[in-house]
Amino acid sequence: MPVGAAVDLVVPGSSANLGPGFDSVGLALGVLDSYRAVVREAPGLVVDLGEESQDVPTDERHLVVATMYRAWDELGVQRPEGLELVCRNTIRMGRGMGSSAAAIVAGVALASALARPEALEAPEGSPIPLDLDFVNDLSGALEGHPDNASASVFGGATVSYVESRDGERSLPRVRTVRLPLHPDIRPVVFLPSTQLPTATARAVLPATVPHAEAALNSARAGLLTFALTQDPSLLLPATTEWLHQEQRRGAYPQAMALIDALRARGHAAVVSGAGPSVLVLTTTPEQVQDPDEAAEAWQRLGPGIPAVGVQAARATLRTSLGERTAAI
Ligand SMILES: Nc1ncnc2c1ncn2[C@@H]1O[C@H](COP(=O)(O)OP(=O)(O)OP(=O)(O)O)[C@@H](O)[C@H]1O
Ligand SMILES: N[C@@H](CCO)C(=O)O
């Protein structure tokens, strides 16, 4: 990989599950992480977390760096001796806003983009095309479930499924379709101050569910795609589910209390991903307020739904990352 190759990248966070679409349905959210990766002549790794940095390692264990190394291995590309990664993160970690999936998507996309000649030769600031299917496949495999990653890759609302585990490929193949979202749907997110690691939330899930409950869930998952695309008035019944929220209630009791209160008022409230954020899908966002503001300090966001996902461009090294990524 040539010294001087440089890529700027922006990737949205996401919500996952949306009720019955456990591990399959994703929704991109307008909360963005930005990265700059530069191949340096000086050997070694430099990770710049910025002033708002969250608590993550700055060596090869950094999730974006570790993913870049993994993606280069997968692509058969040799790692550069010198690498600088600048991170400007606004997706809060451990909240169910898809931070780890966005970091993995960023890592795969940065590695792919740096391996292309455009990363060195294209005019500064020009877009670098990405093989989004490759980014989606590897990101879903590394994350362990494709829902958040697919939304960060493609933007909008996504439904993902694994096509085969037949052993012909080293990775299962993730297939993703984008739903043509009804234009009136708006997300409202209630962000808590506390974190819940996804691994903890997954550890409390049962190994099996009764067949009758799986059948109920599958009906609502089908209804969810109709409500999201055709008829948002069905979002309340379409976001009822049987696979994960009740089973995790003990892991995020405040989130479930807020969801119960919002749903009792007719709002389609669900746990966002593995929690503990709460997502409400609505056509009347101004009517969605915390019914019990005293109970927990929720930060209310109206992030919008980006129509595109991860984007890369030849870095403009004279410009700071924040100024640059605003323009990608
Ligand atoms: N942008 C990032 N940069 C570096 N490491 C990250 C980043 N995002 C997540 N991580 C790592 O992943 C861990 C949190 O991941 P986790 O999956 O628990 O939360 P999440 O991705 O925010 O939530 P969810 O997957 O439910 O949406 C962090 O503790 C950190 O180690
Ligand atoms: N579908 C995942 C999303 C969190 O990463 C879960 O609920 O565990």
Side-chain angles (χ1 to χ4, degrees):
M1 207 168 313
V3 168
V7 171
D8 282 347
L9 180 133
V10 62
V11 60
S14 61
S15 185
N17 303 330
L18 278 57
F22 179 73
D23 274 3
S24 58
V25 178
L27 183 72
L29 297 173
V31 183
L32 306 176
D33 279 350
S34 303
Y35 296 95
R36 172 170 293 164
V38 184
V39 177
R40 296 286 188 204
E41 190 162 14
L45 172 67
V46 177
V47 177
D48 168 0
L49 297 176
E51 287 174 9
E52 300 289 314
S53 72
Q54 305 182 68
D55 187 21
V56 291
T58 54
D59 55 21
E60 297 190 358
R61 293 168 301 156
H62 187 280
L63 188 54
V64 177
V65 176
T67 305
M68 291 173 78
Y69 290 171
R70 175 65 204 275
W72 281 322
D73 290 347
E74 201 66 35
L75 290 164
V77 172
Q78 202 173 353
R79 297 174 188 180
E81 288 198 5
L83 177 67
E84 179 181 358
L85 179 71
V86 181
C87 314
R88 295 293 177 264
N89 301 109
T90 65
I91 308 169
R92 302 287 299 282
M93 293 181 198
R95 303 300 202 288
M97 301 277 285
S99 173
S100 55
I104 289 169
V105 167
V108 178
L110 283 168
S112 317
L114 280 174
R116 293 181 66 103
E118 291 95 330
L120 187 68
E121 294 162 8
E124 288 193 359
S126 52
I128 296 178
L130 294 167
D131 179 348
L132 293 183
D133 289 330
F134 170 75
V135 179
N136 193 40
D137 247 13
L138 184 53
S139 300
L142 294 177
E143 175 82 340
H145 42 88
D147 43 3
N148 288 107
S150 296
S152 288
V153 171
F154 295 107
T158 52
V159 180
S160 300
Y161 60 101
V162 176
E163 194 170 57
S164 86
R165 294 182 186 273
D166 58 11
E168 286 172 16
R169 293 165 51 95
S170 57
L171 298 168
R173 173 122 195 129
V174 175
R175 295 285 187 189
T176 298
V177 292
R178 282 199 54 182
L179 297 176
L181 263 182
H182 192 285
D184 295 345
I185 293 178
R186 303 281 179 272
V188 174
V189 175
F190 291 96
L191 191 70
S193 53
T194 51
Q195 297 195 28
L196 175 64
T198 300
T200 306
R202 291 185 82 82
V204 302
L205 291 176
T208 58
V209 294
H211 188 273
E213 293 183 7
L216 291 171
N217 196 86
S218 101
R220 301 303 173 105
L223 185 63
L224 177 64
T225 62
F226 185 77
L228 286 171
T229 58
Q230 306 287 319
D231 188 354
S233 73
L234 290 168
L235 279 168
L236 186 62
T239 48
T240 304
E241 66 80 42
W242 281 263
L243 298 184
H244 60 104
Q245 291 187 177
E246 282 304 330
Q247 292 89 335
R248 289 169 163 169
R249 184 177 278 271
Y252 39 50
Q254 291 95 343
M256 290 304 290
L258 177 59
I259 287 167
D260 292 343
L262 288 165
R263 292 187 74 85
R265 287 163 174 76
H267 300 301
V270 293
V271 178
S272 181
S277 292
V278 170
L279 170 75
V280 184
L281 296 168
T282 183
T283 56
T284 53
E286 66 287 349
Q287 293 178 16
V288 180
Q289 303 296 336
D290 178 358
D292 183 9
E293 289 181 10
E296 153 96 29
W298 299 96
Q299 185 186 349
R300 185 185 177 286
L301 308 177
I305 303 168
V308 294
V310 64
Q311 291 177 274
R314 167 90 165 101
T316 310
L317 294 172
R318 287 162 286 118
T319 312
S320 82
L321 182 61
E323 291 168 294
R324 170 67 199 122
T325 49
I328 287 182

